[in-house]
Amino acid sequence: MILKIILFIIFILLLILLAFFTLYIFIPSINKEDKKKEDPLVPLSLSPVILPEEKKYNPSTEKAYVMCSCNKECKLERSMYNSEYTCVMAKTVYGSALDCHFACLGLGDCTKICPQEAIVIKNMTAVVTSNCCGCGKCVLVCPQHIIKLIPKDTKKMVVCSNDSSDMTSCTKLKVEENVMWNDKKDFKIWEYCYKILKRFR
């Protein structure tokens, strides 16, 4: 009789433990898992997530052009710049390295900001290549204000921004030149490969 009572008490205790485990451990853990699946920032009720539409690039009818000839010969006022200088720093400290205060400083602020890598430095002068997309970022960054956006079909123009009577030894002062956006090195090869790949699409 006593054994039966002990077994009955053990059975009741097991039922209580099972009920406790179910109500306070098992069910809450299931609910917790469900909550983890729900992103607190983007609830599942809002899915599918709609991503913002990509900005489409509209080709410009203009290209950047530097109003300073890379074919110029000019007397140097300063023998050299510190290689760590930027155009803005050089403009602030020296004004110009050449005796023409409108000349390109040639330290490449425009080359660093150009997303197309469309500008190279030749003879202390920025030169825009055919990679230019006409975004105008170089126009804004140039401390000399000598980069302008001009129509792509421009054939000739005076490639000089010197509009004052300042003395200068520049050989290209107010000289009209042919407007050309030279291809960057190896660009023609890649352009040709791209055209071939485009045909097979």
Side-chain angles (χ1 to χ4, degrees), residues 47-91:
S47 63
V49 177
I50 299 168
L51 296 172
E53 188 180 343
E54 269 186 37
K55 288 183 181 178
K56 292 180 181 177
Y57 168 68
N58 295 320
S60 175
T61 57
E62 296 179 314
K63 283 195 176 191
Y65 206 81
V66 181
M67 306 301 291
C68 184
S69 175
C70 65
N71 303 310
K72 68 181 182 295
E73 290 176 17
C74 241
K75 285 181 184 173
L76 282 170
E77 281 194 338
R78 272 75 190 181
S79 58
M80 67 187 302
Y81 285 150
N82 185 322
S83 60
E84 298 299 314
Y85 279 3
T86 64
C87 293
V88 173
M89 289 170 67
K91 173 77 174 174

Side-chain angles (χ1 to χ4, degrees), residues 70-201:
C70 65
N71 303 310
K72 68 181 182 295
E73 290 176 17
C74 241
K75 285 181 184 173
L76 282 170
E77 281 194 338
R78 272 75 190 181
S79 58
M80 67 187 302
Y81 285 150
N82 185 322
S83 60
E84 298 299 314
Y85 279 3
T86 64
C87 293
V88 173
M89 289 170 67
K91 173 77 174 174
T92 306
V93 176
Y94 296 121
S96 175
L98 304 171
D99 64 354
C100 176
H101 295 282
F102 293 84
C104 177
L105 298 170
L107 290 168
D109 287 17
C110 51
T111 64
K112 293 165 194 164
I113 202 169
C114 179
Q116 296 292 106
E117 297 182 1
I119 306 175
V120 293
I121 303 295
K122 292 181 183 176
N123 187 28
M124 289 182 66
T125 310
V127 177
V128 181
T129 69
S130 58
N131 292 25
C132 178
C133 66
C135 69
K137 288 185 178 181
C138 55
V139 176
L140 300 172
V141 81
C142 177
Q144 292 288 73
H145 308 293
I146 60 170
I147 305 177
K148 295 182 180 178
L149 291 176
I150 63 171
K152 284 180 181 178
D153 56 0
T154 304
K155 301 295 180 190
K156 282 191 173 188
M157 66 183 296
V158 174
V159 185
C160 178
S161 63
N162 192 336
D163 57 1
S164 76
S165 58
D166 288 354
M167 293 298 291
T168 175
S169 65
C170 182
T171 56
K172 295 293 179 180
L173 177 66
K174 298 297 179 187
V175 173
E176 187 178 67
E177 290 189 13
N178 293 327
V179 173
M180 289 188 303
W181 286 278
N182 296 317
D183 285 328
K184 207 172 175 185
K185 190 180 179 183
D186 299 329
F187 180 71
K188 282 186 176 179
I189 297 168
W190 291 115
E191 187 180 31
Y192 181 70
C193 293
Y194 177 73
K195 283 178 182 176
I196 291 171
L197 287 169
K198 204 171 179 183
R199 287 180 189 172
F200 292 104
R201 280 186 177 182

Side-chain angles (χ1 to χ4, degrees), residues 5-21:
I5 292 170
I6 292 170
L7 288 174
F8 180 74
I9 291 170
I10 291 171
F11 179 73
I12 297 295
L13 286 172
L14 286 172
L15 283 176
I16 292 169
L17 281 172
L18 183 64
F20 179 82
F21 175 79

